[in-house]
Amino acid sequence: GESVGLHLPTLSVQEGDNSIINCAYSNSASDYFIWYKQESGKGPQFIIDIRSNMDKRQGQRVTVLLNKTVKHLSLQIAATQPGDSAVYFCAENMMVAPLVFGKGTRLSVIA
Amino acid sequence: NAGVMQNPRHLVRRRGQEARLRCSPMKGHSHVYWYRQLPEEGLKFMVYLQKENIIDESGMPKERFSAEFPKEGPSILRIQQVVRGDSAAYFCASSPDRPPGELFFGEGSRLTVL
């Protein structure tokens, strides 16, 4: 299940289940969105991106959904594996402004 | 093709000293960004530079912090007279073009101020 602690919200998922990580973005004028994965002690790694003229994009085991009406972005991970355990950040660009990151969600995969 | 290289990976400074963090972007990338991350928090934008120019420094504290990206050599984030609140992970990223688009991140420099 999902819980909000003192710091990062945490999503706990059984290995093999699908994960859905949600993100509410701030700027209705943002036109590019991206998901990053950050493992402990490391830099963010690109997962998938989507432009505002799309509402869905699929990668390998991952899908990003964009709902511009409610300014909501989600990342779906199919058949979650222990290696997926990390903190996931959504980020948004508005035109040529640098990426603005959201707060992040910690995904914990239970074997 | 090496990724974004940051050094030092870990830096310990006493209050009042200076910290210099270096970042070499990926080959062919002329756009560099610095972000700061406190434990259990997201990345906060600090500054965006393109060779020899500061494009956006809206996230930089007004005092003690400066950044440069010279024609030759790495980008430098400089923090003068460090205070305990400067303790954080500082990430550098690069891109081949201006935003919007993917940023390629380094592994970060972790600054601890005693």
Side-chain angles (χ1 to χ4, degrees), chain A residues 6 8 13 16 25 38-39 44-45 51 74 77 91 99-100 103:
Chain A
L6 289 176
L8 292 173
V13 175
Y25 63 90
Q38 187 179 28
E39 295 174 326
Q45 296 172 276
R51 297 196 180 270
S74 69
I77 305 173
L99 274 177
V100 174
K103 288 187 172 56

Side-chain angles (χ1 to χ4, degrees), chain A residues 1-14 18-24 35 72-75 88 103-108 110:
Chain A
E2 184 172 329
S3 64
V4 177
L6 289 176
H7 302 288
L8 292 173
T10 299
L11 178 65
S12 297
V13 175
Q14 287 288 138
N18 297 335
S19 302
I20 300 177
I21 301 171
N22 296 305
C23 174
W35 281 97
H72 184 267
L73 198 64
S74 69
L75 176 71
Y88 289 80
K103 288 187 172 56
T105 297
R106 184 181 305 283
L107 176 64
S108 178
I110 305 163

Side-chain angles (χ1 to χ4, degrees), chain A residues 10-110:
Chain A
T10 299
L11 178 65
S12 297
V13 175
Q14 287 288 138
E15 181 180 359
D17 286 352
N18 297 335
S19 302
I20 300 177
I21 301 171
N22 296 305
C23 174
Y25 63 90
S26 57
N27 193 335
S28 57
S30 291
D31 49 14
Y32 174 80
F33 305 87
I34 189 167
W35 281 97
Y36 281 95
K37 171 186 180 183
Q38 187 179 28
E39 295 174 326
S40 182
K42 295 192 172 183
Q45 296 172 276
F46 170 87
I47 301 174
I48 193 168
D49 58 3
I50 188 168
R51 297 196 180 270
S52 59
N53 60 353
M54 303 171 71
D55 52 22
K56 180 179 179 179
R57 190 161 187 231
Q58 288 185 286
Q60 188 177 13
R61 275 202 313 121
V62 294
T63 301
V64 56
L65 299 176
L66 174 62
N67 185 331
K68 294 182 285 294
T69 304
V70 294
K71 295 193 290 185
H72 184 267
L73 198 64
S74 69
L75 176 71
Q76 300 177 1
I77 305 173
T80 314
Q81 302 167 359
D84 294 327
S85 293
V87 177
Y88 289 80
F89 293 98
C90 65
E92 59 187 296
N93 263 136
M94 183 187 69
M95 297 176 72
V96 296
L99 274 177
V100 174
F101 280 77
K103 288 187 172 56
T105 297
R106 184 181 305 283
L107 176 64
S108 178
V109 181
I110 305 163

Side-chain angles (χ1 to χ4, degrees), chain A residues 7-8 32 34 36 38 41-44 46 51 89 93 95-99 101-103 106, chain B residues 9 33 35 37 40-43 45 48 56 91 98-107 110:
Chain A
H7 302 288
L8 292 173
Y32 174 80
I34 189 167
Y36 281 95
Q38 187 179 28
K42 295 192 172 183
F46 170 87
R51 297 196 180 270
F89 293 98
N93 263 136
M95 297 176 72
V96 296
L99 274 177
F101 280 77
K103 288 187 172 56
R106 184 181 305 283
Chain B
R9 292 294 312 278
Y33 312 77
Y35 285 80
Q37 186 178 37
E40 297 290 299
E41 293 192 10
L43 286 85
F45 168 75
Y48 162 32
D56 183 341
F91 288 95
R98 67 178 188 173
E102 179 187 351
L103 301 188
F104 297 79
F105 280 86
E107 297 287 62
R110 280 149 187 85

Side-chain angles (χ1 to χ4, degrees), chain B residues 76-97:
Chain B
I76 307 282
L77 179 67
R78 183 183 178 204
I79 311 172
Q80 295 177 287
Q81 299 173 333
V82 296
V83 301
R84 290 226 173 98
D86 296 333
S87 296
Y90 292 85
F91 288 95
C92 172
S94 71
S95 64
D97 298 302

